[in-house]
Amino acid sequence: MSESFGLFKGLKVTFKELFRKSVTDKYPKEFREKPQRFHGRHVLNRYEDGMEKCIGCELCAGVCPAQCIYVRGEDNPEDEPVSPGERYGFIYEINMLRCIYCALCVEACPTEAITMTSLFEMSVANRSEAIFDKSVLVVNDDGTPNTHEEQTKLTRFEELQTSDGWMRATSSNGNPNFQNVVNWSGSLGVGKKDPEKGQSLEEE
Amino acid sequence: MSENIKINVNGNQIESTPNKLLIEACEDSGIHIPRFCWHKRLDPVGMCRMCLVEIETPRGKMLVPSCTTEVTDEMVVDTESEVVKKAQEGVLEFLLINHPLDCPICDKAGECPLQDQTMAYGPGESRFVEEKRHFEKPISISEIILLDRERCILCARCTRFSDEISGDPLIEFIQRGNKTEVNTFPNEPFKSYFSGNTVQICPVGALTSTSYRFKARPWDLKSVRSTCNGCPVGCSTELNSSQNKMLRILGVDNDSVNQGWLCDKGRYNFEYLNSEFRLKNPLKKIDNELKETSVKEIYTELSELISDRNTNINFLIGTNSTNEDYVAFNEFAKNFPTTNQTFYLNDDYLYAGFFEQDINRATIDDLNNSEAIVIWAEDLKENLPVLYLRVRQAVKNGVKLIVFGHSNSTLEDIADFYYSEDIVSENFEIIKDISKLKGIKEHVKDKNVTAIIGKSTPYQLDEYLDKLVSYLVENSNSKIMNAFSSGNTFGAINNLDNVKNLRDFTKNVSSENTDLLFIVGSDPIGRSVFSNEIHRIIEDIDNVVCLDLFLHETSELCNYIIPTSSTLGEKEGTFTNIEFRTSRIDKLVPSPGQSLSDWEFISGLSNFCNFINNIDSLDGLNELAYQDFDNQDSPSFKNLDKPSNFDGIINDYQPNVSTMPNETITSQYFVGKKLYGDNITIRYSDSISLLGAKQFIEASESTIEKLNLSSGECTLKQNGHQVSANYVVNNKLADGVIFIPQNRRNFNRFDFSETIEISPNQSKEALNVN
């Protein structure tokens, strides 16, 4: 074997890789399609009449393994109720720096108030901005998630339109046959996802 | 005592005593039977049927409710058979038919017996698809209690408590069958001093309190066991907080003191801790204006004043401090010649009391174990509410009750003998020979007697109390309980030397003989009957240091104001109650701003003045307080922290009260305290602040006619000071007696030793004021 041949043998890998399709994306100019069950940031949903779904029951805060949720309930004002029923979420804060995106809060929620979106661009300039309160978490009047202004440049409009709603592992209304059934009730309807078949059905 | 009997539960032999309820016998042996309606302190009723168990009878196995079945010898019980399980599932399914599934917003969820027992014993799934029964969601049945009838499972705990224990049955079942609901009577709110207990014993969220409504969930509460320092009964409490805010107080079942109950003032008078008006920084008066300063600056100025140790220092000490605080003050005062310093306790009713060696001291449990109870004291229901419950309990157990004077008019209904008018005059003088009274002859002479003795009004003479007690001591096997009624009075008189009362303060203290006055956690101007004199004295004294939680009528007059930690949940220490039982006060929440404990401030001042300082730690103070006692039963922190001593340790103190006896009656009115008053803490506790706001006077119907009051309102006038008040008809008061509550707003500014002009107002209907 001559020494010069060895050089070409080594470069063969280089040339092969040179013409292979790149695995990286030109983010943020290009976006990659996210998996359907992607765990992004949370939103607090509303009913069709604009009422907030959150009743301030603190079950999400109780179940959170990272203890990043702080909720306080309060008596619903009689003349201008925030949510149906006696109680509403008066304070709702999530520390996004602490959150581990496990979605246990989504599972615990009795009213499907908190769900996860596929949004993940949440860079902030200081730590206190990373604590999302109700002004950020509650969805807009049209059902799209509220965003920090800086993020808007990074966020695709189509993504906002499909980000309300997330499939849960359990049915919130206690229906044991929830698989393949749309459980999403009384939501503003943005991004209502098709029911998944569930693992047992997909295998068939 | 009867022999123990043996019963067989689930195949195991357990021992019990006859006449015990089966559910109780099983509980004692560690076998839990689910239940909703049964409560240890209430009579059994068998409403909920959750405690069904199978017992063997001559006719075969049979389901019986274990809360209404007494154990018998050789009884064979099965609490876990298939039949029992089916019965429990059935009962729960029926209970849940109409119980709303609003657990996520219910205050009880997380500590709810219905939730817990449905998880443990209930059916897994609901078969009920129909619409549930609906009622208006929470209706307010008093200022502090809300009722949600949808959630009620008709266990009758609240109705039984009100009827049996507190004796004001204002909540009852109405309607029948499936329409049965619990409710109050029309136009009659649930105005009980003990209504908070029904919230605590409700097994569902049907009764909730306004102060805790939606504030937190049980799983994010921190809790400690503590002692209530509201009155000398010293009920055991559990304090709950979340996010460093006190949110709730629960009663703990201390068998020999409060048996789980609390009065509403003890339960709800905590919201002031979170008030925005709490003092946070030390203040100093410069040109009649209070300016923020530092503790160090105050220390510097005070040390200049007192470092030569010939300063005349007086202490006006409140009853809201811990024993350790009192020890700290006492040690500090030892740095000065004894002639130069005196302790005055912020209590109108304090007098020498009966603490001599030859007088037996009564414990609260003695009420149950004696043959008769003699009461001559302030209104127990208003001033020592849980002691009132224990008296009621004793009477229910057959103890005879003899009440002297018209101050305890709420006890008239259950008293066997109520000596008013003919026997005890309107000025609380005994005008007949005690030994000839029928009740005394029959039930007191040569019997076991427990007497609750105290002053009914600040103007009462000491003489007649002495007469009654010496009769009791000579002629019966008596035990005496001294009914002082404010806070940690017993801790103060044990740990301070030569305590005097407010009357002595007005007589002894003046600007000439006082260079420096310490006012500790007390507002005598706001609540004392000697308010005007004290105001004048404090205004005259040049240097007044005040340690308090708030700015109020007294602290506003002071030159230096130090913010302090509240004894309720903000500091550690010990508390001594009416039977000399010392128990633990514990800390749960931080105090705001630069607040200091009383002892911390005094210890710092000692250091600053280079005094001999043996009060530099809380443990040291605690040791100092109990150094005279045998190590084994001394209520030191070490002993009190043993689980067997959580209920407190009774010790034999020798209190040190040196008040001047009151020898002349100077008031024509019956002046007393009501449970809720215009105290600064109640004023800043939102949910109960209104309860102490109403101004009223009480008198019998004929007295009111004599005063020409025909309308509902009247005006009280004296020297230009004028208060408009309602009058309340109380026919249990003697003729001519007019009751004026000293702790309602603006009443403190009257001088009760002079005549107050009472004239009718424009017509309005008489209000029923509690």
Side-chain angles (χ1 to χ4, degrees), chain A residues 55-59 61-63 70-76 85-88 110-111 176, chain B residues 102-107 125 137-138 146 148 151 213-217 219-220 242-243 247:
Chain A
I55 50 169
C57 71
E58 297 185 34
L59 284 172
V63 79
Y70 172 53
V71 190
R72 277 290 178 263
E74 188 132 293
D75 244 325
N76 234 337
E86 296 168 67
R87 179 173 176 156
Y88 80 102
T111 59
Chain B
D102 55 3
C103 302
I105 61 156
C106 176
D107 277 337
E125 278 175 30
K137 280 285 211 191
L146 298 166
D148 187 330
R151 294 182 188 150
R213 182 169 164 82
F214 300 162
K215 285 283 178 349
R217 312 308 306 273
W219 54 83
D220 52 38
S242 173
Q243 306 282 336
L247 291 181

Side-chain angles (χ1 to χ4, degrees), chain B residues 409-420:
Chain B
S409 55
T410 41
L411 282 171
E412 195 200 346
D413 298 337
I414 57 165
D416 297 273
F417 297 93
Y418 183 77
Y419 295 138
S420 162

Side-chain angles (χ1 to χ4, degrees), chain B residues 14-33:
Chain B
I14 64 168
E15 283 205 5
S16 176
T17 45
N19 302 330
K20 207 169 204 177
L21 293 173
L22 185 52
I23 194 168
E24 222 172 347
C26 289
E27 185 91 355
D28 292 346
S29 310
I31 299 159
H32 181 80
I33 299 172

Side-chain angles (χ1 to χ4, degrees), chain B residues 241-261:
Chain B
S241 77
S242 173
Q243 306 282 336
N244 281 338
K245 266 189 176 180
M246 183 84 80
L247 291 181
R248 183 169 71 165
I249 297 177
L250 297 174
V252 172
D253 198 328
N254 182 342
D255 189 50
S256 28
V257 183
N258 60 326
Q259 307 196 331
W261 313 130

Side-chain angles (χ1 to χ4, degrees), chain A residues 20 29 32 36 44 47 50 56 74 87 97 112 116 118 123 142 159 170 183 193-194:
Chain A
R20 216 183 63 124
K29 286 178 191 154
R32 187 188 291 180
Q36 194 185 1
L44 287 175
Y47 290 105
E74 188 132 293
R87 179 173 176 156
L97 294 174
E112 294 170 331
M116 281 183 143
S118 49
S123 58
D142 59 354
E159 210 160 40
T170 52
N183 271 308
K193 289 177 187 170
D194 290 334

